Amino acid sequence: MARLLVVVPHHTDPPARLGQWLREAGLELDERHLSAGDPLPADLTGHDGLLVLGGPQSSLDPAEVSPELVGVRALLATAVAEDLPTLAVCLGAQLLAQVGGGSTRVGVEGPEVGATLVAKRDAAYADPLFGPLPLSPDVLQFHHDEIDRLPAGATLLASGVMYPNQGYRVGEHVYGIQFHIETDDAIIRQWAESDTVGVAASGLDIETICARAAAVHPDVAEVWAPFAGRFAALVQEHARRRPAPVGN
């Protein structure tokens, strides 16, 4: 079975529905919960893909503020160098941009919070993961930083009204998405209740944010569960190409 390393930088953003979709697609998930003290592997040996989720940490945090992100950046850099099938979500996508040679900053338009749409770019139609998506799929947003510059040579696949760099690919198999597809109603409520700055910037109250998220979560599942399946197929293809271990 193809093995996916799942890095959970903070307990408030577990793999949730995305993890379920990936398991249903046939992947074995090796979850590392950094808030719980799980160690990260030194490299990606023995894994056929990488998933990095989000968290309340800032992509701009120095090592002394968020030491747990040092190892996450190292694994993402390895994934880029090896072109290992990778999906980096929100904070993960920002860290991926940084290690790939791009940059992040505090979002110039302020926090982006709640249910919204992103729009496919022209390059998305030829992409194996983004190609089958509808023109403007539903997503969930909860971020304060933005990716202001993609890595050189990266392919922009999806944009939004507030922030243009919403979905992108580095190389052939490494993907970053600024938005969330893994959430459920309980996760969104937890985020809304804890992120007073983000909620205030949205111009909405907590109940409205939660109600709108609940309304789109079925549509998110309809569109993004197949996307997860297509990502799982990339991971499984890598597993098939991996050389068999040499016996003694």
Side-chain angles (χ1 to χ4, degrees):
M1 182 178 288
R3 196 160 183 252
L4 181 71
L5 177 63
V6 179
V7 177
V8 184
H10 198 270
H11 66 273
T12 56
D13 189 18
R17 297 201 301 173
L18 178 55
Q20 175 188 341
W21 300 334
L22 293 169
R23 289 188 182 93
E24 290 172 352
L27 298 186
E28 175 190 349
L29 272 54
D30 176 12
E31 296 187 21
R32 307 296 179 99
H33 293 258
L34 306 191
S35 294
D38 291 348
L40 289 176
D43 56 35
L44 293 166
T45 302
H47 295 95
D48 302 295
L50 174 65
L51 169 64
V52 178
L53 292 156
Q57 304 97 318
S58 170
S59 63
L60 303 170
D61 286 347
E64 58 269 22
V65 174
S66 296
E68 70 279 5
L69 299 184
V70 173
V72 180
R73 288 187 175 94
L75 288 175
L76 285 167
T78 299
V80 170
E82 298 179 359
D83 198 30
L84 186 79
T86 296
L87 181 61
V89 178
C90 197
L91 173 63
Q94 295 166 2
L95 300 176
L96 173 61
Q98 290 175 342
V99 303
S103 61
T104 66
R105 63 186 178 188
V106 175
V108 295
E109 299 296 332
E112 187 175 26
V113 168
T116 186
L117 303 172
V118 293
K120 288 167 60 175
R121 301 298 295 257
D122 288 348
Y125 290 92
D127 183 82
L129 297 195
F130 278 76
L133 292 175
L135 177 61
S136 298
D138 290 293
V139 299
L140 280 302
Q141 301 277 9
F142 248 97
H143 65 100
H144 291 230
D145 294 345
E146 65 162 313
I147 301 166
D148 64 303
R149 184 167 54 87
L150 292 177
T155 301
L156 182 61
L157 300 169
S159 293
V161 174
M162 285 184 69
Y163 295 109
N165 296 322
Q166 291 285 345
Y168 66 97
R169 188 185 73 239
V170 179
E172 295 298 320
H173 301 111
V174 179
Y175 291 84
I177 54 174
Q178 175 61 79
F179 48 87
H180 294 276
I181 59 176
E182 74 281 11
T183 55
D184 56 26
D185 295 353
I187 290 172
I188 292 296
R189 178 166 292 277
Q190 181 184 27
W191 292 353
E193 290 178 347
S194 62
D195 187 1
T196 55
V197 173
V199 169
S202 74
L204 305 172
D205 60 27
I206 290 174
E207 293 307 320
T208 301
I209 290 171
C210 292
R212 291 185 178 182
V216 304
H217 270 142
D219 295 326
V220 170
E222 182 178 355
V223 168
W224 294 99
F227 174 93
R230 295 191 291 275
F231 175 69
L234 291 184
V235 178
Q236 289 159 340
E237 177 60 26
H238 182 273
R240 285 190 287 271
R241 296 197 311 267
R242 177 155 42 99
V246 178
N248 292 328

